[in-house]
Amino acid sequence: MNVHLSHPTRDIALQGPKRVADIFKELQLIPEAFLVIRGQDLMTEDEIVADEDTIEVRPVISGG
Amino acid sequence: MRCRKCSNRAVLGLPRHNTAYCGPCLTEFVRTQVQKAIKVQRMFSPEDRILVAVSGGKDSLTLWEILLKLGYRVDALYVGLGIPGYSERSHEKVERFAHDVAEACGSQLIIQTVEEDAGAGTGVKELANLIKRPTCSACGTIKRYQFNRVAYQNNYDVMATGHNLDDEAARLLGNVLNWQEEYLQKQSPTLPASVEGFSKKVKPLYRMTEREIAAYAVVNRIDYLVEECPNAKGAKMLVYKDVLNRLEAESPGTKHRFYWGFLEKQKKSANTSNHSMTDIDQSTLLPCETCSQPTTAGICSFCRMMARAKTATR
Ligand code: SF4
Ligand SMILES: [Zn+2]
Ligand SMILES: [Zn+2]
């Protein structure tokens, strides 16, 4: 799967299928600080991302 | 995961409430929480005219949208800071929201820029360099000043900002770690218009976490700027937020227990103390000699900053 990340903007490839919760673990990210979006839809932590999917892991924390 | 209210597919789990919601139920939950904040903290009534400060980010655009959806009389102020790239993109998001959503509700957007104050071609960073101050501190002074001035001069009853639970909990943590008691006193979701020249200030999103607000924005197709201001890098607030989110992961509800517990204590001590914040403000604030906005110094920090910038460029 293709994972789009921000701050800085970059794309990485991960092996799918994988649960959203496991993607957080693999990337060592705290779920409370991100949303996972597929297309225009939010995904909860128990949902499975397929190998052919593209998702955005969007940070929600702002510092200003 | 299923929505706890209607059993449709959930789009967001809310561990701190031990629940999960689908899109429409999340929207209803967020709007209800904002309405509750407005009522409990006596922020404003449907007759009041509200000015919301917008930056193009998720919090301020979401606040603008929610207040419109709840039927309040709200306009918005955008302060352009002249930050190359970032300012153009944030301005564009704000204009687009105004055009696509707000205009149809009769809500207007007011634009103010740093370049107008500091002279053509000068952004907040150049201005801060000129007077040898950290960029964010100069920026904060400018935003606070412009916001208050526009609200006051245009007779808005109250000014609203998009500060959320994460912002307030992180700020509280910072203030407590450094025992900044004078700041603690001012950390309330509603600050009264204590003296002539100051507008009432409110934070209607203080009950919502950043994640809940971002989820609301995604569900309701609010097109906000995900990119951060380049000057935010390394900000202390980000460290505090990260620490709090780690605690939240271990023990959901930590952030709201921390901040709401503080508000409870603050309320109790206000009931027993005979010096309210309004009393203190009235005894320490006088009109600025240059612009007449209230200040504890003879000349307010904004006017001092602008005067220093002028002598530095000469
Ligand atoms: S990060 Fe600093 S410079 Fe950027 S908008 Fe916030 S206060 Fe201003
Ligand atoms: Zn539902
Ligand atoms: Zn002044």
Side-chain angles (χ1 to χ4, degrees):
Chain A
M1 71 184 78
N2 181 49
V3 183
H4 181 75
L5 296 152
S6 301
H7 313 164
T9 303
R10 62 206 186 277
D11 284 282
I12 59 165
L14 292 180
Q15 186 67 49
K18 219 172 230 130
R19 274 184 351 134
V20 169
D22 295 325
I23 296 172
F24 278 125
K25 266 187 211 134
E26 192 165 333
L27 298 174
Q28 299 186 341
L29 299 174
I30 327 172
E32 182 69 12
F34 298 88
L35 289 175
V36 174
I37 306 168
R38 183 172 57 196
Q40 287 197 305
D41 296 326
L42 293 171
M43 297 184 82
T44 52
E45 282 181 59
D46 59 330
E47 283 182 277
I48 292 168
V49 184
D51 195 43
E52 62 274 16
D53 285 347
T54 290
I55 59 166
E56 178 188 355
V57 177
R58 181 184 292 189
V60 298
I61 305 301
S62 39
Chain B
M1 218 181 267
R2 293 273 140 198
C3 174
R4 284 289 173 86
K5 264 188 102 177
C6 72
S7 303
N8 281 333
R9 188 182 78 87
V11 295
L12 191 76
L14 288 88
R16 72 184 178 112
H17 292 298
N18 193 22
T19 194
Y21 291 126
C22 68
C25 291
L26 175 72
T27 298
E28 192 197 313
F29 167 75
V30 172
R31 289 184 191 162
T32 305
Q33 287 295 317
V34 173
Q35 192 64 278
K36 191 168 177 181
I38 293 166
K39 207 172 149 201
V40 173
Q41 296 288 334
R42 299 201 181 108
M43 294 183 175
F44 41 77
S45 69
E47 293 76 43
D48 287 329
R49 286 180 66 229
I50 305 153
L51 183 68
V52 40
V54 290
S55 67
K58 65 182 189 311
D59 303 301
S60 57
L61 287 186
T62 295
L63 177 58
W64 193 4
E65 196 259 12
I66 292 175
L67 294 181
L68 287 173
K69 288 282 149 65
L70 292 174
Y72 287 103
R73 300 170 67 194
V74 53
D75 290 329
L77 171 70
Y78 173 81
V79 180
L81 300 165
I83 300 165
Y86 174 77
S87 285
E88 285 88 50
R89 289 189 284 276
S90 64
H91 188 180
E92 194 197 313
K93 292 285 182 196
V94 170
E95 288 282 2
R96 187 172 307 156
F97 183 88
H99 178 264
D100 293 353
V101 184
E103 265 170 30
C105 309
S107 174
Q108 68 155 329
L109 171 66
I110 304 169
I111 309 275
Q112 194 79 39
T113 69
V114 174
E115 292 95 323
E116 282 166 42
D117 293 317
T122 310
V124 67
K125 191 160 191 174
E126 293 74 27
L127 179 72
N129 286 344
L130 213 56
I131 58 169
K132 301 186 175 61
R133 261 180 69 181
T135 306
C136 291
S137 125
C139 182
T141 300
I142 292 168
K143 286 191 288 194
R144 270 192 303 277
Y145 180 87
Q146 291 299 7
F147 194 26
N148 188 67
R149 200 192 56 132
V150 172
Y152 191 73
Q153 286 182 349
N154 295 286
N155 297 315
Y156 285 96
D157 298 290
V158 50
M159 49 198 226
T161 53
H163 291 97
N164 54 51
L165 178 57
D166 291 69
D167 293 325
E168 295 309 300
R171 200 169 133 205
L172 178 60
L173 181 61
N175 287 339
V176 170
L177 288 175
N178 298 301
W179 288 116
Q180 284 168 313
E181 282 175 75
E182 68 283 12
Y183 290 133
L184 279 178
Q185 242 196 0
K186 301 228 161 187
Q187 221 198 321
S188 161
T190 297
L191 290 176
S194 53
V195 291
E196 187 65 25
F198 266 166
S199 299
K200 182 177 181 179
K201 300 185 190 73
V202 298
K203 298 171 178 171
L205 299 182
Y206 81 93
R207 302 177 68 88
M208 312 308 308
T209 67
E210 287 196 295
R211 189 166 188 257
E212 291 155 6
I213 294 165
Y216 176 96
V218 172
V219 166
N220 290 281
R221 309 278 187 257
I222 296 171
D223 180 20
Y224 68 90
L225 189 66
V226 176
E227 174 191 347
E228 278 277 290
C229 171
N231 300 320
K233 228 186 207 156
K236 258 282 166 49
M237 281 294 259
L238 288 173
V239 180
Y240 296 147
K241 284 183 175 183
D242 185 56
V243 168
L244 287 168
N245 275 339
R246 280 167 204 278
L247 293 170
E248 184 79 23
E250 294 300 318
S251 172
T254 299
K255 288 185 287 196
H256 81 228
R257 282 194 300 274
F258 182 47
Y259 184 57
W260 299 0
F262 164 75
L263 292 180
E264 275 303 308
K265 291 210 184 309
Q266 199 184 41
K267 203 162 98 196
K268 264 189 216 147
S269 71
N271 289 340
T272 53
S273 146
N274 26 16
H275 293 289
S276 73
M277 230 184 59
T278 303
D279 297 336
I280 298 169
D281 276 1
Q282 282 174 353
S283 64
T284 54
L285 293 170
L286 284 168
C288 164
E289 289 163 22
T290 311
C291 73
S292 69
Q293 255 197 40
T295 176
T296 49
I299 297 177
C300 77
S301 56
F302 178 83
C303 290
R304 263 181 291 149
M305 205 164 86
M306 288 306 160
R308 269 176 67 189
K310 260 195 201 115
T311 34
T313 42
R314 232 183 258 141

